[in-house]
């Protein structure tokens, strides 16, 4: 059977499963809609959290990023996994005990102020929208390749699917759908990885295979380093970033992910605080399966790509190359008209062209074809995981499986994010501020309307992605680190922290981060261009600047809270109660 047919069958089966679950778990009350009725088992919740966490960015883009940036790409692994640990140990159980559905809800009540709540809503919306734009793009890429339609149609199909999930079930439908999506996505990621690992190194464990020897007896990573240096790239296993910058980016990603609203909500869907810790533990194990395999997948994909494509005549290329060419995500221009594909580092080595040098009979230098220094191949990073099984010539059903997995990853996260957007609007804005006495039915209606609006906006971003989707996702983490993280940590651990401190800190942190991003990353269209690397403050890249903005937030918040009146007694008492282990009476907020 051909790839197309397998893809239809596997995507069809998995989707029937998701829709069946969404209908079976329909939400009947706002509590069901927002937090699945609070009665999900820790293992199921762990799987749902893992699916929520591993977005299209983890499934599709992360291995692609690592396969192109090598050692430098490890910051994403460390930052995203480390952030999860931080969230599970430092924040989740306390927030669960506080009994709040959403981050703005926590911040509004803990800092006894609607202005704090509003700022938190704005931050939550900025973070969720920037993140969801990237997911929709991922959905578009998968649909366009495997259904052979253009990216616009791909995104539109994706929008329709997410709409059905989120509309019908709310958090309850999404939780159980995500359990199924986790199973599909992890199976889809691991099967090709295991196949390719056996094929290249004879070892069924990709994590070990990555460090093993290949057929000709040299280590796989040494072989890849050699391939890289021959083509004028830097060695795969050595990095270009400074130690401080790696630390800053990792920490910004850690603090940013632990402030991500759609994951925090997950800890409210279990019955007890103890279960919140348990499900965090399960989720960490389940996430680790994918995150320890990703670097191996990157190495396999990169080696396979270079050995398959470089110096190969265009007419001899395998089918997968032509298929992906149709989507425009890989392209080739024959600059020296030799009919072969030359893949080189377009910047070449230190600006010098790459060429082969031989000695003639009398010892004179003969330089062969310096024009081979020109790179003729464009490869989009995002296709590395999706094209990997095709490059390695795995059976067709595996290729179809990866398509189903990519969709599962993108759709589960998109659904979770859209739910956060709708709760921010219906619960935090309408119910808590504009119309406190709205009925349960009315609130559900508003939640569903805001999901509809959110999907249309997200789809628009997916069809016309700003050229900086990757920058925007890094921006989302930086913004979350600079705004939410200090407010949540201080709200839990500092009894003296008051509204003035928190609000000032949040505004200062997010403004500083936005300023730095615009100044050094995106620029303002028509007004100014982004400044070069040499101008970075303290040698910190825009992706890592969230750490500095976060420190400013912490310092300002602490200083100002000490200069202004202490928070009311009842708030201080709540902060005391949050820290008593559960069972000694849950903290109640009225």
């Amino acid at each position: 059977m051909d790839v197309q047919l397998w893809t239809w069958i596997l995507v069809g089966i998995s989707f029937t499963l998701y829709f069946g679950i969404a209908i079976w778990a329909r939400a009947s009350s706002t509590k069901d809609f927002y937090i699945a009725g609070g009665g999900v088992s820790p293992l199921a919740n762990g799987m749902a959290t893992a699916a929520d966490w591993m977005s299209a960015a983890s499934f599709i883009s992360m291995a692609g990023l690592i396969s192109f940036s090598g050692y430098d790409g490890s910051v994403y692994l460390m930052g995203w996994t480390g952030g999860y640990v931080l969230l599970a140990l430092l924040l989740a159980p306390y927030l669960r005990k506080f009994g709040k559905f959403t981050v703005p809800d926590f911040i509004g009540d803990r800092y006894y102020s609607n202005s704090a709540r509003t700022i938190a809503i704005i931050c939550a919306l900025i973070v969720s929208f920037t993140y969801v734009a990237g997911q929709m793009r991922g959905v578009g890429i998968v649909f366009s390749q495997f259904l052979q339609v253009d990216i616009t149609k791909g995104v539109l199909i994706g929008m329709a699917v997410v709409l059905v999930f989120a509309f019908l079930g709310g958090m309850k439908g999404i939780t159980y759908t995500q359990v199924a999506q986790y199973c599909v996505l992890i199976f889809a990621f691991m099967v090709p990885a295991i196949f390719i690992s056996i094929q290249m190194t004879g070892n069924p464990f990709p994590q070990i295979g990555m460090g093993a020897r290949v057929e000709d007896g040299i280590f796989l990573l040494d072989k890849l380093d050699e391939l890289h240096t021959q083509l004028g790239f830097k060695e795969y296993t050595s990095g270009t970033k400074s130690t401080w910058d790696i630390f800053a980016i990792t920490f910004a990603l850690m603090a940013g992910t632990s402030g991500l609203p759609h994951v925090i909500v997950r800890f409210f869907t279990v019955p007890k605080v103890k279960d919140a810790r348990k499900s965090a533990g399960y989720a960490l194990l389940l996430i680790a399966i994918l995150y320890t395999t990703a670097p191996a997948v990157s190495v396999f994909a990169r080696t396979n790509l270079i050995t398959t494509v470089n110096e190969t005549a265009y007419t001899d290329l395998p089918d997968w190359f032509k298929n992906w060419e149709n989507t425009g995500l890989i392209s080739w221009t024959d600059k020296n008209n030799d009919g072969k594909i030359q893949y080189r580092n377009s910047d070449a080595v230190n600006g010098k062209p790459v060429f082969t040098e031989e000695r003639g009979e009398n010892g004179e230098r003969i330089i062969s074809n310096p024009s081979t220094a020109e790179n003729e191949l464009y490869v989009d990073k995002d296709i590395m995981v999706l094209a990997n099984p095709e490059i390695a010539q795995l059976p067709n059903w595996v290729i179809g499986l990866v398509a189903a997995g990519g969709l599962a990853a993108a759709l589960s996260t998109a659904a979770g994010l859209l739910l956060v957007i709708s709760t921010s609007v219906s619960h935090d804005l309408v119910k808590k501020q504009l119309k406190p006495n709205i009925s349960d039915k009315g609130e559900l209606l508003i939640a569903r309307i805001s999901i509809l609006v959110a999907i249309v906006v997200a789809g628009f971003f997916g069809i016309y992605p700003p050229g900086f989707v990757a920058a925007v996702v890094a921006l989302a983490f930086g913004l979350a680190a600079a705004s939410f993280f200090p407010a949540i940590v201080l709200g839990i651990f500092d009894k003296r922290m008051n509204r003035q401190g928190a609000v000032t800190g949040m505004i200062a942190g997010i403004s500083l981060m936005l300023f730095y991003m615009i100044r050094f990353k995106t620029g303002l269209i028509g007004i100014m261009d982004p400044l070069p690397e040499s101008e970075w403050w303290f040698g910190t890249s825009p992706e890592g600047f969230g750490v500095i903005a976060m420190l400013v937030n912490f310092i300002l918040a602490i200083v100002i809270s000490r200069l202004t009146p202490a928070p009311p007694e009842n708030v201080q008492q709540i902060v005391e109660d949050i820290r008593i282990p559960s069972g000694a009476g849950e903290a109640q907020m009225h």
Side-chain angles (χ1 to χ4, degrees), residues 126-468:
I126 294 177
V127 173
S128 305
F129 265 122
T130 41
Y131 205 30
V132 95
Q135 304 306 317
M136 281 313 208
R137 175 89 182 138
V139 176
I141 289 177
V142 182
F143 274 129
S144 72
Q145 164 60 6
F146 293 104
L147 306 181
Q148 296 292 321
V149 294
D150 60 24
I151 260 185
T152 310
K153 286 205 189 82
V155 175
L156 291 171
I157 299 169
M159 282 162 67
V161 175
V162 175
L163 193 66
V164 175
F165 286 154
F167 242 49
L168 275 179
M171 194 55 149
K172 194 169 171 192
I174 288 176
T175 299
Y176 291 108
T177 317
Q178 281 178 338
V179 172
Q181 283 167 334
Y182 175 77
C183 300
V184 173
L185 84 89
I186 205 73
F187 191 64
F189 198 82
M190 295 306 294
V191 169
I194 292 167
F195 258 112
I196 297 172
S197 185
I198 294 173
Q199 196 182 43
M200 288 176 82
T201 64
N203 193 318
F205 298 103
Q207 294 89 333
I208 303 169
M210 168 183 161
R213 296 175 189 272
V214 279
E215 287 154 10
D216 40 14
I218 56 172
F219 285 106
L220 177 58
L221 286 166
D222 291 343
K223 179 180 173 180
L224 185 54
D225 276 347
E226 200 178 300
L227 285 170
H228 260 214
T229 40
Q230 281 169 6
L231 303 185
F233 294 95
K234 64 177 186 337
E235 282 193 350
Y236 187 82
T237 52
S238 60
T240 53
K241 296 182 189 308
S242 69
T243 311
W244 156 247
D245 203 29
I246 283 200
F247 173 78
I249 296 176
T250 305
F251 201 83
L253 289 171
M254 276 173 70
T257 23
S258 53
L260 272 186
H262 68 287
V263 181
I264 292 177
V265 177
R266 277 266 153 248
F267 293 102
F268 295 112
T269 54
V270 286
K272 295 197 290 296
V273 178
K274 192 173 98 189
D275 296 341
R277 286 186 190 266
K278 261 197 202 143
S279 63
Y282 282 129
L284 190 60
L285 283 173
L286 298 166
I287 289 168
I289 301 175
L290 188 139
Y291 272 57
T292 51
T293 313
V297 170
S298 328
V299 171
F300 301 151
R302 184 79 180 151
T303 314
N304 270 335
L305 177 78
I306 294 176
T307 47
T308 314
V309 172
N310 190 36
E311 299 299 342
T312 307
Y314 184 70
T315 45
D316 303 340
L317 280 175
D319 291 342
W320 67 263
F321 192 90
K322 314 267 184 358
N323 290 345
W324 281 98
E325 255 190 326
N326 299 337
T327 60
L329 295 171
I330 192 168
S331 60
W332 171 64
T333 19
D334 194 359
K335 294 181 182 169
N336 55 2
N337 301 325
D338 62 350
K340 285 184 181 173
I341 292 180
Q342 271 88 31
Y343 183 39
R344 298 286 182 270
N345 180 0
S346 40
D347 311 328
V349 191
N350 308 329
K352 298 189 190 76
V354 184
F355 45 75
T356 44
E357 182 183 312
E358 291 162 6
R359 295 281 171 189
E361 287 167 13
N362 308 324
E364 77 278 17
R365 290 169 70 195
I366 300 171
I367 293 176
S368 59
N369 197 1
S371 70
T372 48
E374 283 207 69
N375 177 35
E376 305 182 336
L377 185 69
Y378 161 76
V379 185
D380 189 301
K381 295 185 181 76
D382 286 348
I383 72 170
M384 290 310 272
V385 171
L386 298 174
N388 199 12
E390 297 174 75
I391 300 175
Q393 297 167 340
L394 297 185
N396 284 342
W397 66 268
V398 179
I399 300 169
L401 183 66
V402 170
L407 286 176
L411 292 173
S412 62
T413 308
L417 283 163
L418 289 165
L419 205 73
V420 167
I421 293 174
S422 78
T423 39
S424 294
V425 175
S426 64
H427 184 78
D428 301 324
L429 195 67
V430 178
K431 171 114 178 153
K432 291 281 175 164
Q433 297 187 41
L434 307 178
K435 286 179 71 176
N437 49 7
I438 190 170
S439 69
D440 230 18
K441 273 236 160 62
E443 197 182 335
L444 264 182
L445 180 69
I446 290 179
R448 291 190 164 135
I449 293 171
S450 43
I451 281 193
L452 184 65
V453 175
I455 287 187
V456 173
V457 176
F460 178 79
F461 279 129
I463 296 169
Y464 303 104
F468 42 87

